[in-house]
Amino acid sequence: QVQLVESGGGLVQAGGSLRLSCAASGRTFSRYAMGWFRQAPGKEREFVAGISWSGVGTYADSVKGRVTISRDNAKNTVYLQMNSLKPEDTAFYYCAAKARGPSDYSNPAEYDYWGQGTQVTVSS
């Protein structure tokens, strides 16, 4: 059983920045591939970014160039730095984990564990 807890969400104006954090339990965190997804009301869950256990990042086209995913294995934490935020980035953001590297980082079904999410609201 792995527990994931997101934090760092909030209200920000368009063009601003936020850094989301996902704190994970377990001593094997460094072996997990991690991902960030988001879901707006009435919309399907959308892939944002993923990172391998070795630290290689993968990004959705919609956020590429504005978002950076990183991890600190010593702190059992993965981060999502978001810059140049747009109103369409408004969503509930979820952290996810997979014990073995996903075949497709963008597929929610590849992940084994999910956090409770944190709200990001971008005002115009």
Side-chain angles (χ1 to χ4, degrees):
Q1 181 69 29
V2 174
Q3 303 292 136
L4 303 174
V5 180
E6 301 94 335
S7 62
L11 175 64
V12 64
Q13 290 187 333
S17 299
L18 283 175
R19 188 178 75 159
L20 307 183
S21 298
C22 174
S25 67
R27 294 182 293 276
T28 59
F29 172 79
S30 63
R31 300 289 187 91
Y32 280 71
M34 305 292 296
W36 284 97
F37 292 78
R38 65 189 183 186
Q39 188 166 24
K43 302 290 184 65
E44 293 184 348
R45 194 176 305 174
E46 177 187 18
F47 171 72
V48 178
I51 188 167
S52 72
W53 65 268
S54 61
V56 179
T58 301
Y59 301 93
D61 290 339
S62 60
V63 302
K64 194 172 298 181
R66 302 188 297 119
V67 166
T68 301
I69 188 170
S70 62
R71 66 193 299 161
D72 185 339
N73 291 337
K75 297 181 179 179
N76 279 11
T77 302
V78 63
Y79 304 96
L80 187 71
Q81 177 68 45
M82 301 188 293
N83 303 318
S84 302
L85 285 164
K86 307 173 181 179
E88 50 262 48
D89 294 318
T90 296
F92 218 78
Y93 283 70
Y94 296 91
C95 177
K98 181 71 174 70
R100 293 185 296 275
S103 299
D104 181 4
Y105 280 99
S106 69
N107 184 4
E110 292 277 352
Y111 294 85
D112 300 311
Y113 306 100
W114 294 84
Q116 86 290 340
T118 185
Q119 178 68 39
V120 171
T121 303
V122 183
S123 62
S124 60

